[in-house]
Structures are given as structure tokens and as C-alpha cells.
């Protein structure tokens, strides 16, 4: 599984170097995927929208399908400030597992305010995920700002 900690790396680079990385990122954007044992939800408060994907093993067909769905349209997820958190080790009893209490596979959508907006027992496509996110008040406000209406 990939672990991307690019945010801190890009912020710590000199301006010219980070600009070069931004050009590379435009060519092939990568979805930030982080093992949930390495972070806390508070790390993303008001910065990112975590999508948490739980499974009892990385070989779970639903987990594999969900990750394939997420990687199919990275640009749409990045546009909505999404970060993917994965947890495929129920024995580790991570903080996220204790908080969200998944049973087998579970997809959880969490907003920037830390609120758990949706839990799903089956994989969702990026289209379904983004349609849900776009209805949230925080995303509606972002859209209004982007359109210059606020």
C-alpha cells in the first residue's frame, strides 16, 4: 500500500522546488493514501476530507474494488480536498476502528469539520462519493467562494 506524505514534503521545500513539484503533480496527480495507524482525524480538521476505507484484509474483494474506484478519478477527489485513510488490520485496534466500529468492509466519508457524514457497507464510485460531498454545507461554501459569490 502506498503512503503519501507529500503535503509536509512540499511545504518544507524552497519556493522554486515546490513549484516544480506542482507542475509534475499536474501531469500525474496522485491520490493521498495513508495508513490510518499513522494519523489521527484531528490532523485533517478543516484541511482535508478523509475517506476511510476499512477491511479485514487487503485481499478483501470489496477493499480492492473500492481502491480501484478511488484511483479511477483522482482529479475529482483532489478537487474536493480528499485524503484516503486505509485500515486493513482489525487486530491492531486503531483509534479510527475504535471510533467508527466497522464490521468487515466499511467506507466512511468525513467532512473537514470532523463530522462523520456517511457510512457504507459496500464500495462506492467516485461519482457517488463526489455527489455526496458536493451536498455538504462546507463544500457548498467552497463552491460559492470559487464562483466569487462570497
Amino acid at each position: 500500500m502506498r503512503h503519501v506524505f507529500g503535503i509536509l514534503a512540499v511545504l518544507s521545500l524552497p519556493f522554486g522546488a515546490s513549484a516544480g513539484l506542482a507542475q509534475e503533480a499536474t501531469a500525474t496527480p496522485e491520490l493521498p493514501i495513508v495508513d490510518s495507524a499513522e494519523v489521527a482525524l484531528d490532523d485533517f480538521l478543516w484541511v482535508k476530507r478523509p475517506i476511510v476505507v476499512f477491511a479485514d484484509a487487503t485481499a478483501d474483494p470489496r477493499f480492492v474494488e473500492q481502491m480501484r474506484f478511488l484511483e479511477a478519478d483522482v482529479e475529482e477527489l483532489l478537487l474536493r480536498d480528499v485524503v484516503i485513510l486505509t485500515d486493513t488490520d482489525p487486530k491492531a485496534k486503531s483509534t479510527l476502528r475504535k471510533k467508527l466500529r466497522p464490521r468487515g468492509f466499511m467506507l466512511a466519508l468525513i467532512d473537514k469539520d470532523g463530522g462523520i457524514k456517511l457510512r457504507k457497507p459496500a464500495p462506492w464510485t467516485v461519482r457517488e462519493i463526489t455527489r455526496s460531498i458536493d451536498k455538504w454545507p462546507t463544500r457548498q461554501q467552497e463552491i460559492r467562494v470559487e464562483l466569487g459569490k462570497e
Side-chain angles (χ1 to χ4, degrees):
M1 199 47 61
R2 293 181 294 167
H3 300 294
V4 179
F5 300 101
I7 296 169
L8 294 175
V10 170
L11 292 176
S12 65
L13 292 172
F15 177 72
S18 64
L21 283 177
Q23 289 173 349
E24 287 178 28
T26 305
T28 55
E30 248 186 73
L31 189 61
I33 300 175
V34 181
D35 187 308
S36 67
E38 299 174 10
V39 295
L41 283 179
D42 290 344
D43 297 342
F44 304 105
L45 199 59
W46 300 112
V47 178
K48 294 283 184 186
R49 290 185 175 91
I51 293 179
V52 187
V53 184
F54 290 102
D56 290 343
T58 56
D60 182 327
R62 295 168 297 182
F63 179 80
V64 171
E65 181 179 31
Q66 183 63 67
M67 297 311 289
R68 194 178 75 243
F69 283 162
L70 293 170
E71 291 180 358
D73 199 354
V74 173
E75 294 84 10
E76 289 299 315
L77 295 171
L78 293 176
L79 178 69
R80 289 161 180 86
D81 298 326
V82 165
V83 62
I84 308 301
L85 306 180
T86 61
D87 187 329
T88 57
D89 185 7
K91 293 176 186 170
K93 298 182 182 170
S94 68
T95 306
L96 276 177
R97 268 192 190 270
K98 290 176 186 174
K99 180 175 181 155
L100 298 173
R101 298 179 178 263
R103 294 197 185 346
F105 177 86
M106 185 176 87
L107 174 71
L109 305 182
I110 302 172
D111 200 5
K112 287 182 176 183
D113 64 3
I116 301 161
K117 301 297 185 186
L118 190 67
R119 297 170 193 244
K120 288 290 178 185
W124 258 27
T125 65
V126 170
R127 183 173 186 218
E128 293 169 313
I129 291 169
T130 57
R131 282 183 165 199
S132 180
I133 290 172
D134 287 347
K135 294 176 186 173
W136 301 349
T138 54
R139 178 65 183 143
Q140 288 290 308
Q141 181 184 12
E142 290 171 356
I143 292 168
R144 286 191 303 272
V145 168
E146 288 171 10
L147 294 173
K149 295 185 177 183
E150 264 191 32

